[in-house]
Amino acid sequence: MGKIKTQFNKNYQKSLSIILALSLLFVSIPHAQAASLSTLSDTMTRIKVSTLSNHTLVFTTPTGIAGAATLVVTFPDGTANGFVGQSGIDYTDVDLQDDGSDVTLAASPTGTTWGAAFSGTNLNVLTFTNGSAAVAASSIITIKIGTNATSGTTGDKQITNPNTSGSKTITINGTFGDTGSIAVPIATDDQVVVSASVDPSITFQLSTNSASLGTMTTGAVASTSAVTLTMGTNAAGGYTVTIQDQGNGTVGGLYKSSVPTKNITSGTATLSAGTEGYGAQGTTGTGSPTISSPYNTSGNGVGQLQRTAQSFITYGSPTGVTNQTSTVTFKAAISASTPAGSYADTITLLMTGNF
Amino acid sequence: MIISVRVRSKIQKLISILVFLLLFFMAYVPGAKAAVVSTISDTMTRQKISTTSNHTIVFTTPTGIANTNTVTLTFPSSSFTMGASLSGVTIADNGGADNAVTSASYATNVLTITASASSTVAAGHAATIKIPTAQITNPGTAGSYKITIGGTFGDTGAFAVPITTGNDDQIAIAADIDLSITFALSTNSCALGVMTTGAVASCGPFTYTVGTTAGGGYTVTVQDEGSGTNPGLYKSAATTKLIATSTATLAAGTEGYGIQGAVNSGSQTIAAVYLKTSNNVGALSRTATTISSYASATSADHVTNVTAKAAISAGTPAGTYQDTLTFLATGNF
């Protein structure tokens, strides 16, 4: 009985010693008490569900990051429904700044170069491993992920947002000792499309519907007064004004329809007194529209009027607040053999918008 | 021997009478001894060791406290400490007004409070003595401390207060609020319709709603797509055209484009450039620009109105125009 009691006492003393030793051991090991990161934010370029986005995470580390320590950024939730790194995303798609200065990143740490790598089935965990470049306490850390990572190789891979909307919490921890979280909003959509339309419009006006050459003689080239054309449009491609001649119904010209009929044929020429000829010339006005060849002439020069519509004025842009103008003047000359009588012609001017 | 018996009987009778009289006097004749206060309490503001505390001492005084009477509180030696003179000490009669005493002085473990003419207490009433502004420091050792009441007012009594046996009398409650931020747009389209030179076109307001627990609040930015190079309302079909955006007062017949912001609900701050009304608009940018912000957690969702406005000139090409605005919310945790 006494032996059993002695043995019990020995065991009891041993157990007590072990417990005491363990207690002292735990007391003597300093606690790696985590500090909380402060002033955290994550600015994204898109917050729409299932959409690729860049991330710019900023936070202050009270402890700093010692050499060989890790810093881990975990995007929730590790499934295909959560944040998913694009296939191939790696350290080239990431920047890490210590108080605004970029550190050198590589796939794994060496010397002062940090390692940076994505892991997890959905590449949603980004782990930085410090090389030998310690980050001082209270430093501001900036992490860029995506095409905004321009230090070294510019990033070309991003992270796809979760496929459900709501508040999503990104955690930051690692052996560097500090911890923190950031929430980001994922929304059904983050864009508003503003749309509008402008109706097409076009206006065209002639200053008169008649132009008289008067009584023509062989001694002079006859001319009408200038007829003003006024054009307005918001056609993005501008407009074209064409000129078309009635003539004798077959050939363009100034026509005497009574017997004996006579058509003073229109041609591109410089008219001279005593020689039959007929045509039109144009001049540009407000807005400087372009007078087409062969009507962009002056003096007694004229362009041929034809029975098919010919370009008379062109303009390549919308005409703006003030309507544009140009003029058309008709000129004719006769010879000594030109039959007496009344001559007439009908000119049709048409404006077409290039919408 | 007979005499002896008689004498003994008389002596016994006499003793009985004397005992009776003694008991009678003990029971019914009031002594000159002081009365004992009752219903005593001392409510402290802190009971942690070596910590300053207020005291509110309440007791019922059979005798009452008259003008110039003193009430003494005798503390155990080397226990509570305080200055030689305490200020702001009051006495209330039966729960009435707290009236200032003439003086409250401390020496050698005894706090002597001298009643003033206004701080008297009627006999049989509750006296409430308040010693405010943390003028008494608790003992440095935990335990039960007996304090006795005395003074010229005539009554006596005693009570005890606990000084915490642990290191503290307080429990720090810690709690976390889950991080959260939500954002929602009321619509994904805003149609300005067919614009004319006769009026400034407008669409909206549409809204965005933000709620967050971020202690630093939130920032919402707006970013413009425009032509892909410059911000504005863009006609992408040939011939392309960009109605440029600018901070301006739009007028019918003159090209212009921009947005306005306004608080729908909440106390968020609308950026000055977008805090516009009527036909005034703020310019959009192809870089994210703050449209609204708030510096602390939102107690309720914040709703912000956004209105887009545009005007054209006679020369604005006909066609379909479009722009994409991207709104982003960032929590400041």
Side-chain angles (χ1 to χ4, degrees):
Chain A
M1 188 66 185
K3 215 174 178 183
I4 293 170
K5 197 175 178 182
T6 305
Q7 187 60 44
F8 174 80
N9 282 341
K10 274 186 180 176
N11 289 340
Y12 177 77
Q13 284 170 358
K14 272 186 183 173
S15 301
L16 201 63
S17 301
I18 291 166
I19 290 168
L20 189 63
L22 286 172
S23 301
L24 288 171
L25 184 68
F26 279 108
V27 166
S28 65
I29 294 171
H31 290 280
Q33 193 168 358
S36 294
L37 300 170
S38 64
T39 323
L40 303 98
S41 65
D42 179 13
T43 303
M44 301 169 66
T45 50
R46 295 298 304 273
I47 57 174
K48 183 181 179 182
V49 293
S50 305
T51 302
L52 288 168
S53 175
N54 293 342
H55 292 257
T56 302
L57 297 100
V58 181
F59 54 84
T60 299
T61 167
T63 306
I65 306 171
T70 61
L71 185 161
V72 181
V73 181
T74 304
F75 293 86
D77 56 3
T79 73
N81 297 327
F83 287 94
V84 176
Q86 267 190 296
S87 177
I89 192 168
D90 61 13
Y91 72 92
T92 63
D93 303 300
V94 177
D95 285 351
L96 188 148
Q97 294 177 336
D98 173 9
D99 284 331
S101 297
D102 284 297
V103 303
T104 303
L105 297 177
S108 56
T110 173
T112 58
T113 298
W114 292 54
F118 287 85
S119 61
T121 306
N122 296 288
L123 300 174
N124 64 307
V125 179
L126 171 59
T127 301
F128 293 95
T129 305
N130 193 356
S132 57
V135 172
S138 302
S139 295
I140 297 172
I141 300 297
T142 302
I143 296 170
K144 297 179 180 178
I145 305 167
T147 57
N148 57 338
T150 55
S151 177
T153 305
T154 297
D156 60 356
K157 302 288 193 304
Q158 298 170 290
I159 294 177
T160 303
N161 292 334
N163 59 13
T164 57
S165 62
S167 181
K168 313 292 180 184
T169 301
I170 300 165
T171 58
I172 302 169
N173 52 27
T175 63
F176 76 114
D178 296 343
T179 60
S181 300
I182 309 170
V184 292
I186 299 301
T188 306
D189 207 340
D190 57 1
Q191 292 186 325
V192 176
V193 175
V194 178
S195 60
S197 64
V198 177
D199 275 348
S201 79
I202 189 166
T203 57
F204 182 62
Q205 192 170 11
L206 295 172
S207 62
T208 182
N209 298 113
S210 63
S212 175
L213 288 164
T215 301
M216 298 188 289
T217 68
T218 56
V221 173
S223 178
T224 67
S225 297
V227 178
T228 301
L229 293 70
T230 303
M231 293 75 63
T233 185
N234 61 5
Y239 64 90
T240 302
V241 174
T242 58
I243 190 167
Q244 186 171 11
D245 190 53
Q246 173 63 30
N248 64 359
T250 306
V251 177
L254 191 60
Y255 183 55
K256 173 177 173 288
S257 58
S258 59
V259 179
T261 61
K262 168 67 180 177
N263 191 36
I264 301 174
T265 305
S266 180
T268 297
T270 299
L271 302 181
S272 61
T275 303
E276 278 185 4
Y278 173 57
Q281 65 177 218
T283 57
T284 190
T286 303
S288 303
T290 302
I291 304 299
S292 303
S293 176
Y295 306 105
N296 55 342
T297 184
S298 59
N300 286 332
V302 293
Q304 183 184 14
L305 294 164
Q306 300 187 53
R307 281 187 46 81
T308 57
Q310 302 296 307
S311 175
F312 182 66
I313 304 169
T314 61
Y315 192 72
S317 304
T319 55
V321 177
T322 305
N323 286 333
Q324 294 183 340
T325 61
S326 64
T327 62
V328 58
T329 302
F330 301 95
K331 290 178 179 285
I334 59 171
S335 68
S337 61
T338 304
S342 294
Y343 290 76
D345 190 18
T346 300
I347 308 296
T348 301
L349 292 150
L350 300 174
M351 180 183 178
T352 303
N354 304 314
F355 294 97
Chain B
M1 191 67 183
I2 293 171
I3 292 169
S4 293
V5 171
R6 280 184 181 174
V7 170
R8 187 189 299 169
S9 177
K10 279 183 180 178
I11 289 170
Q12 285 175 341
K13 275 183 181 175
L14 185 62
I15 289 171
S16 299
I17 290 166
L18 285 173
V19 169
F20 176 79
L21 286 172
L22 183 63
L23 289 172
F24 178 81
F25 278 108
M26 283 180 69
Y28 295 101
V29 176
K33 199 194 278 187
V36 177
V37 299
S38 61
T39 321
I40 313 169
S41 65
D42 180 7
T43 304
M44 301 169 67
T45 50
R46 295 297 305 275
Q47 293 178 335
K48 181 183 178 183
I49 56 171
S50 304
T51 303
T52 56
S53 174
N54 297 346
H55 290 254
T56 301
I57 300 161
V58 182
F59 56 83
T60 300
T61 168
T63 306
I65 303 171
N67 183 19
T68 73
N69 278 175
T70 62
V71 177
T72 60
L73 299 171
T74 302
F75 299 90
S77 62
S78 303
S79 59
F80 292 84
T81 58
M82 63 201 84
S85 177
L86 281 67
S87 61
V89 177
T90 59
I91 299 177
D93 180 4
N94 239 17
D98 296 318
N99 296 308
V101 301
T102 299
S103 65
S105 57
Y106 176 76
T108 321
N109 305 324
V110 178
L111 173 60
T112 303
I113 300 166
T114 304
S116 65
S118 63
S119 59
T120 58
V121 177
H125 280 192
T128 301
I129 299 173
K130 290 184 179 176
I131 305 168
T133 59
Q135 297 177 85
I136 299 177
T137 303
N138 294 335
T141 305
S144 177
Y145 288 83
K146 179 185 174 186
I147 301 168
T148 59
I149 300 172
T152 62
F153 80 113
D155 296 343
T156 60
F159 60 93
V161 292
I163 298 303
T164 48
T165 52
N167 289 327
D168 209 335
D169 58 350
Q170 293 180 326
I171 297 171
I173 306 296
D176 289 327
I177 297 174
D178 272 349
L179 303 178
S180 170
I181 183 166
T182 56
F183 179 82
L185 284 167
S186 63
T187 182
N188 300 114
S189 62
C190 187
L192 289 164
V194 178
M195 299 190 290
T196 69
T197 56
V200 173
S202 177
C203 70
F206 58 87
T207 66
Y208 60 80
T209 303
V210 185
T212 184
T213 59
Y218 68 87
T219 301
V220 175
T221 58
V222 59
Q223 187 170 10
D224 191 58
E225 175 61 19
S227 65
T229 306
N230 294 303
L233 192 58
Y234 185 56
K235 173 178 174 286
S236 59
T239 302
T240 61
K241 164 70 181 178
L242 181 73
I243 299 175
T245 177
S246 64
T247 298
T249 300
L250 301 181
T254 303
E255 277 185 6
Y257 171 56
I259 63 169
Q260 302 172 340
V263 171
N264 179 305
S265 68
S267 47
Q268 65 274 38
T269 299
I270 306 297
V273 67
Y274 298 120
L275 188 59
K276 310 283 187 181
T277 58
S278 186
N279 285 331
N280 296 311
V281 294
L284 293 157
S285 171
R286 280 189 44 84
T287 56
T289 304
T290 298
I291 180 171
S292 69
S293 61
Y294 191 64
S296 57
T298 56
S299 57
D301 283 350
H302 286 180
V303 181
T304 300
N305 290 347
V306 180
T307 301
K309 287 178 180 280
I312 60 169
S313 69
T316 304
T320 300
Y321 291 74
Q322 187 170 297
D323 188 23
T324 300
L325 308 179
T326 301
F327 293 87
L328 300 173
T330 302
N332 303 314
F333 292 93

Tab-separated table of all heavy atoms in Angstrom, chain A residues 167-188:
chain	number	residue	atom	x	y	z
A	167	SER	N	-22.126	42.519	-51.280
A	167	SER	CA	-20.869	42.951	-50.673
A	167	SER	C	-19.925	41.760	-50.567
A	167	SER	O	-20.298	40.711	-50.055
A	167	SER	CB	-21.153	43.526	-49.286
A	167	SER	OG	-19.964	43.977	-48.685
A	168	LYS	N	-18.737	41.913	-51.071
A	168	LYS	CA	-17.749	40.827	-51.066
A	168	LYS	C	-16.527	41.282	-50.261
A	168	LYS	O	-16.036	42.399	-50.461
A	168	LYS	CB	-17.316	40.473	-52.491
A	168	LYS	CG	-18.475	40.304	-53.472
A	168	LYS	CD	-19.329	39.082	-53.173
A	168	LYS	CE	-20.480	38.955	-54.172
A	168	LYS	NZ	-21.375	37.840	-53.863
A	169	THR	N	-16.050	40.421	-49.389
A	169	THR	CA	-14.961	40.795	-48.488
A	169	THR	C	-13.641	40.160	-48.909
A	169	THR	O	-13.529	38.934	-49.000
A	169	THR	CB	-15.300	40.386	-47.044
A	169	THR	OG1	-16.514	41.040	-46.659
A	169	THR	CG2	-14.187	40.812	-46.086
A	170	ILE	N	-12.668	41.011	-49.145
A	170	ILE	CA	-11.316	40.587	-49.504
A	170	ILE	C	-10.485	40.610	-48.219
A	170	ILE	O	-10.533	41.591	-47.468
A	170	ILE	CB	-10.715	41.544	-50.548
A	170	ILE	CG1	-11.570	41.548	-51.812
A	170	ILE	CG2	-9.263	41.184	-50.856
A	170	ILE	CD1	-11.282	42.708	-52.743
A	171	THR	N	-9.747	39.550	-47.954
A	171	THR	CA	-8.948	39.510	-46.735
A	171	THR	C	-7.467	39.633	-47.063
A	171	THR	O	-7.006	39.193	-48.114
A	171	THR	CB	-9.183	38.206	-45.948
A	171	THR	OG1	-8.853	37.100	-46.801
A	171	THR	CG2	-10.629	38.091	-45.502
A	172	ILE	N	-6.758	40.234	-46.136
A	172	ILE	CA	-5.311	40.414	-46.266
A	172	ILE	C	-4.669	39.886	-44.989
A	172	ILE	O	-5.046	40.306	-43.883
A	172	ILE	CB	-4.954	41.896	-46.468
A	172	ILE	CG1	-5.654	42.455	-47.715
A	172	ILE	CG2	-3.436	42.070	-46.580
A	172	ILE	CD1	-5.562	43.953	-47.844
A	173	ASN	N	-3.731	38.967	-45.143
A	173	ASN	CA	-2.998	38.467	-43.983
A	173	ASN	C	-1.661	37.911	-44.460
A	173	ASN	O	-1.185	38.279	-45.527
A	173	ASN	CB	-3.825	37.415	-43.220
A	173	ASN	CG	-4.329	36.316	-44.143
A	173	ASN	OD1	-3.713	36.033	-45.156
A	173	ASN	ND2	-5.448	35.706	-43.806
A	174	GLY	N	-1.075	37.056	-43.706
A	174	GLY	CA	0.228	36.508	-44.068
A	174	GLY	C	1.139	36.509	-42.863
A	174	GLY	O	0.774	36.995	-41.782
A	175	THR	N	2.331	36.007	-43.063
A	175	THR	CA	3.245	35.900	-41.920
A	175	THR	C	3.819	37.247	-41.521
A	175	THR	O	4.502	37.356	-40.509
A	175	THR	CB	4.404	34.944	-42.247
A	175	THR	OG1	5.161	35.496	-43.333
A	175	THR	CG2	3.898	33.564	-42.609
A	176	PHE	N	3.559	38.286	-42.291
A	176	PHE	CA	4.064	39.603	-41.881
A	176	PHE	C	3.361	40.085	-40.618
A	176	PHE	O	3.836	40.987	-39.955
A	176	PHE	CB	3.941	40.621	-43.018
A	176	PHE	CG	2.564	41.166	-43.276
A	176	PHE	CD1	2.279	42.509	-43.050
A	176	PHE	CD2	1.544	40.371	-43.762
A	176	PHE	CE1	1.028	43.036	-43.304
A	176	PHE	CE2	0.285	40.892	-44.027
A	176	PHE	CZ	0.025	42.217	-43.796
A	177	GLY	N	2.226	39.478	-40.298
A	177	GLY	CA	1.647	39.672	-38.970
A	177	GLY	C	0.390	40.492	-38.912
A	177	GLY	O	-0.414	40.309	-38.004
A	178	ASP	N	0.187	41.394	-39.856
A	178	ASP	CA	-1.011	42.224	-39.799
A	178	ASP	C	-2.153	41.538	-40.543
A	178	ASP	O	-1.923	40.695	-41.420
A	178	ASP	CB	-0.745	43.590	-40.426
A	178	ASP	CG	0.290	44.376	-39.657
A	178	ASP	OD1	0.546	44.006	-38.498
A	178	ASP	OD2	0.841	45.341	-40.207
A	179	THR	N	-3.343	41.951	-40.212
A	179	THR	CA	-4.509	41.419	-40.910
A	179	THR	C	-5.490	42.551	-41.190
A	179	THR	O	-5.488	43.575	-40.507
A	179	THR	CB	-5.250	40.344	-40.090
A	179	THR	OG1	-5.680	40.946	-38.868
A	179	THR	CG2	-4.366	39.164	-39.807
A	180	GLY	N	-6.312	42.346	-42.190
A	180	GLY	CA	-7.332	43.343	-42.504
A	180	GLY	C	-8.283	42.815	-43.555
A	180	GLY	O	-8.036	41.764	-44.166
A	181	SER	N	-9.362	43.521	-43.731
A	181	SER	CA	-10.367	43.134	-44.716
A	181	SER	C	-10.882	44.371	-45.425
A	181	SER	O	-10.892	45.470	-44.869
A	181	SER	CB	-11.545	42.418	-44.041
A	181	SER	OG	-11.098	41.252	-43.384
A	182	ILE	N	-11.299	44.175	-46.633
A	182	ILE	CA	-11.907	45.241	-47.431
A	182	ILE	C	-13.152	44.659	-48.081
A	182	ILE	O	-13.106	43.544	-48.601
A	182	ILE	CB	-10.982	45.729	-48.562
A	182	ILE	CG1	-9.592	46.068	-48.024
A	182	ILE	CG2	-11.583	46.926	-49.278
A	182	ILE	CD1	-8.569	46.315	-49.123
A	183	ALA	N	-14.224	45.399	-48.057
A	183	ALA	CA	-15.422	44.965	-48.781
A	183	ALA	C	-15.532	45.758	-50.071
A	183	ALA	O	-15.206	46.947	-50.112
A	183	ALA	CB	-16.666	45.157	-47.930
A	184	VAL	N	-15.947	45.075	-51.106
A	184	VAL	CA	-16.205	45.756	-52.378
A	184	VAL	C	-17.624	45.418	-52.810
A	184	VAL	O	-18.107	44.320	-52.543
A	184	VAL	CB	-15.197	45.334	-53.473
A	184	VAL	CG1	-13.803	45.834	-53.150
A	184	VAL	CG2	-15.197	43.832	-53.678
A	185	PRO	N	-18.287	46.385	-53.469
A	185	PRO	CA	-19.653	46.112	-53.907
A	185	PRO	C	-19.644	45.501	-55.305
A	185	PRO	O	-18.979	46.003	-56.201
A	185	PRO	CB	-20.273	47.510	-53.940
A	185	PRO	CG	-19.131	48.404	-54.300
A	185	PRO	CD	-17.870	47.759	-53.757
A	186	ILE	N	-20.354	44.431	-55.460
A	186	ILE	CA	-20.563	43.877	-56.797
A	186	ILE	C	-22.025	44.145	-57.151
A	186	ILE	O	-22.928	43.802	-56.385
A	186	ILE	CB	-20.237	42.381	-56.834
A	186	ILE	CG1	-18.760	42.165	-56.457
A	186	ILE	CG2	-20.524	41.800	-58.207
A	186	ILE	CD1	-17.750	42.874	-57.360
A	187	ALA	N	-22.226	44.798	-58.271
A	187	ALA	CA	-23.573	45.240	-58.649
A	187	ALA	C	-24.031	44.513	-59.905
A	187	ALA	O	-23.215	44.031	-60.687
A	187	ALA	CB	-23.575	46.739	-58.898
A	188	THR	N	-25.345	44.458	-60.055
A	188	THR	CA	-25.904	43.848	-61.258
A	188	THR	C	-25.351	44.542	-62.494
A	188	THR	O	-25.043	43.918	-63.491
A	188	THR	CB	-27.441	43.954	-61.239
A	188	THR	OG1	-27.898	43.393	-60.012
A	188	THR	CG2	-28.054	43.219	-62.412
